[in-house]
Amino acid sequence: MDVEQCLRERTRMSMALFAPNYGIPARSFPEAEALRRSVRERKEYGHLRTQETEATTSGSAQEKKEQLLIEGPAGSKPSTALIVGGGKGTKKDTFANKLPEAQNTEKKRAPQEPPEMLKSLTRIEPDEKERPTYAMVKKNKREDLMPEWHAPWKLYRVVSGHTGWVRSIAVDVSNEWFVTGSADRTVKLWDLASGSLKLTLTGHISAVRGCAISPRHPYMFTCGEDKQVKCWDLEMNKVVRHYHGHLSGVYSIDLHPAIDVLVTGSRDSSARVWDMRTKASVFCLSGHDSTVNAVKCQAPDPQIVTASADTTVRTWDLRTGKTHSVLTNHKRGVRALALNEREFTYASASADNIKVWKFPDSEFMRNVGSMPKGASPVINALALNDDGVMFSGGDQGTLMGWDWRTGYNFQQLESQVQPGSLDSEAGIYAMSFDRSGSRLITCEADKTIKMYKEDDMATPETHPIDFAPAAPGTYKRY
């Protein structure tokens, strides 16, 4: 670029920047806008216009041409030389070339004015089904959703051993045993196949509210209402680390699946991120206004999800320790979370509803059904397996089975308290599927652990789907 051209370009930029009308919207030109729209319509929908024009004009033009060739112009006799063609001396096109209508027939096939875009897009003729058409009709995607049939679940074992409410559960990665924490201040290890007690650990001085088992290390982590977070060595069966920092009872705990950190939620309205080895508090995730009831971790961002009694759900950025998004759609305190790693979604349960959100921006997707009459309004626990079956447990012992994709409630069970307990102790506080997803384990207020499995004798004929989708337009947007 020479000096003169560079000066001219700089002058133009300076005038554009410091002109008195800088920042004022440019004047609109309707003619230019109409021309731009016409060119774009011709470029994108020209093939539709050509097909429609040829189909409508070819028939009428051919009939008119044949009529003119046979009858001739007004005042003249019909020409038979044009009909009997093929011999010598016959001039087939001599008379036809003199007809002005025949000469202009080809020119009339391509109109200069494009038709209206809406007519060319929505015109569907029943006699010409093979013609390619495009319908600009927005369909409701939920109309075609039908729930998948799931076999009903039945109770097959009741395990007793705790002397207080059973408040937490975790299943080992080997799927051979599971651990429960109770209000009797003990942690018990159970055999998953037989339900027999293998080990009892003591050390907490209050109710044990959370349990987590590391899939990579022989460690187990527990938290309780005594403000303590403990790390147990399962090879020596004793506590090897304490994590101090919470100012009140710790109600939830979860391990990160990829790195050696654990996250705990407490009654002091905060969630803390701990280094598993150094026992240091990496972050104090503050932002909730009430108890943090549930904590979940995942490998992709956002890596931490917390649910609180202040009716909000928060996602957190683990790199900075700051809030990624805040969800205020619930009207009651949120007590449970469930992650769907296959769909990159998660569910949050409150007394008003169960809502499904989509990562990473926590976009609202749908409400999971509606609570039947008589069901407990308070949901304490959620469990989800890989088959799209989700169970929710309530304060009154109500166990609800949901189809994840459609929110269809395919089963409702009422927990039966063990003999000697009060009817008011039919509450479900925690639940979890085993690693295979074929067995469901619930922790209840009657001091028992109940195990469920699918009914092998059930079929779609014996337990048909009774699903009535809501009318289009009645789905809630929040």
Side-chain angles (χ1 to χ4, degrees), residues 118 143 181 202 215 269 291 310 364 409 420-421:
L118 186 60
E143 291 181 4
T202 59
S269 306
T291 305
D310 62 0
F364 175 75
N409 177 223
S421 301

Side-chain angles (χ1 to χ4, degrees), residues 95-383:
F95 184 72
N97 293 333
K98 296 181 180 180
L99 296 179
E101 292 81 5
Q103 294 175 1
N104 298 332
T105 302
E106 298 296 330
K107 298 181 180 179
K108 293 181 181 180
R109 288 190 177 184
Q112 299 296 329
E113 292 292 332
E116 298 181 6
M117 182 178 64
L118 186 60
K119 292 182 180 180
S120 64
L121 289 176
T122 58
R123 180 173 181 178
I124 301 176
E125 298 181 7
D127 297 337
E128 301 178 1
K129 296 182 179 179
E130 298 181 356
R131 181 184 302 174
T133 56
Y134 296 87
M136 296 176 62
V137 181
K138 184 178 180 181
K139 296 183 179 180
N140 193 337
K141 295 182 179 180
R142 290 187 61 104
E143 291 181 4
D144 300 329
L145 286 180
M146 286 299 294
E148 180 183 356
W149 183 82
H150 300 289
W153 293 61
K154 63 179 182 179
L155 177 69
Y156 76 96
R157 178 178 292 138
V158 178
V159 179
S160 300
H162 282 292
T163 58
W165 294 350
V166 188
R167 303 303 301 261
S168 58
I169 183 174
V171 181
D172 183 54
V173 67
S174 64
N175 206 34
E176 296 179 355
W177 53 274
F178 66 96
V179 61
T180 56
S182 172
D184 60 5
R185 303 169 294 177
T186 64
V187 179
K188 293 182 180 291
L189 279 72
W190 310 86
D191 185 74
L192 187 58
S194 62
S196 59
L197 179 63
K198 300 179 67 175
L199 183 65
T200 300
L201 302 175
T202 59
H204 283 277
I205 60 175
S206 188
V208 182
R209 298 294 296 268
C211 299
I213 303 173
S214 175
R216 300 185 304 273
H217 309 289
Y219 294 147
M220 178 181 66
F221 300 87
T222 59
C223 61
E225 296 178 359
D226 52 6
K227 312 178 191 177
Q228 296 182 11
V229 180
K230 297 179 181 291
C231 175
W232 303 79
D233 190 334
L234 297 178
E235 294 178 348
M236 297 184 293
N237 297 332
K238 67 177 184 179
V239 178
V240 293
R241 293 185 184 94
H242 292 271
Y243 302 89
H244 299 284
H246 280 295
L247 305 178
S248 188
V250 187
Y251 285 2
S252 55
I253 188 172
D254 196 20
L255 299 179
H256 195 280
I259 57 179
D260 293 338
V261 297
L262 64 145
V263 184
T264 55
S266 172
R267 190 170 175 265
D268 60 6
S269 306
S270 69
R272 287 183 177 267
V273 182
W274 308 89
D275 190 328
M276 187 183 300
R277 293 178 178 145
T278 65
K279 301 179 292 183
S281 178
V282 181
F283 291 116
C284 180
L285 308 179
S286 59
H288 286 292
D289 297 331
S290 187
T291 305
V292 180
N293 291 320
V295 170
K296 290 293 182 181
C297 297
Q298 62 175 1
D301 291 327
Q303 302 182 36
I304 302 175
V305 186
T306 58
S308 173
D310 62 0
T311 73
T312 64
V313 178
R314 289 176 179 260
T315 58
W316 305 84
D317 186 357
L318 187 57
R319 294 181 180 88
T320 61
K322 296 182 179 180
T323 302
H324 182 272
S325 59
V326 183
L327 311 179
T328 59
N329 300 51
H330 283 290
K331 300 178 179 62
R332 303 288 182 87
V334 186
R335 297 195 178 191
L337 295 171
L339 302 183
N340 190 334
E341 298 178 357
R342 291 190 174 185
E343 292 186 0
F344 202 44
T345 56
Y346 68 100
S348 58
S350 176
D352 55 356
N353 214 325
I354 303 175
K355 299 181 183 295
V356 180
W357 315 86
K358 183 175 181 59
F359 287 117
D361 297 327
S362 297
E363 301 174 0
F364 175 75
M365 296 184 63
R366 60 185 178 273
N367 289 319
V368 179
S370 59
M371 294 298 172
K373 294 182 178 180
S376 174
V378 179
I379 299 177
N380 294 321
L382 287 178

Side-chain angles (χ1 to χ4, degrees), residues 6-71:
C6 182
L7 291 175
R8 190 182 301 110
E9 182 67 20
R10 298 304 180 193
T11 304
R12 185 189 63 80
M13 294 174 60
S14 300
M15 292 182 64
L17 182 61
F18 297 104
N21 60 349
Y22 178 74
I24 301 177
R27 185 165 59 92
S28 61
F29 296 92
E31 296 83 1
E33 182 66 22
L35 180 61
R36 184 189 66 81
R37 188 180 294 108
S38 177
V39 171
R40 186 170 181 179
E41 291 177 2
R42 183 183 295 273
K43 179 180 179 181
E44 296 185 0
Y45 308 107
H47 61 286
L48 297 177
R49 185 190 67 246
T50 303
Q51 293 176 1
E52 184 176 1
T53 305
E54 291 179 356
T56 54
T57 60
S58 60
S60 58
Q62 185 69 18
E63 293 177 0
K64 187 175 181 180
K65 183 177 180 180
E66 292 178 358
Q67 184 178 1
L68 288 171
L69 294 177
I70 295 174
E71 297 179 357

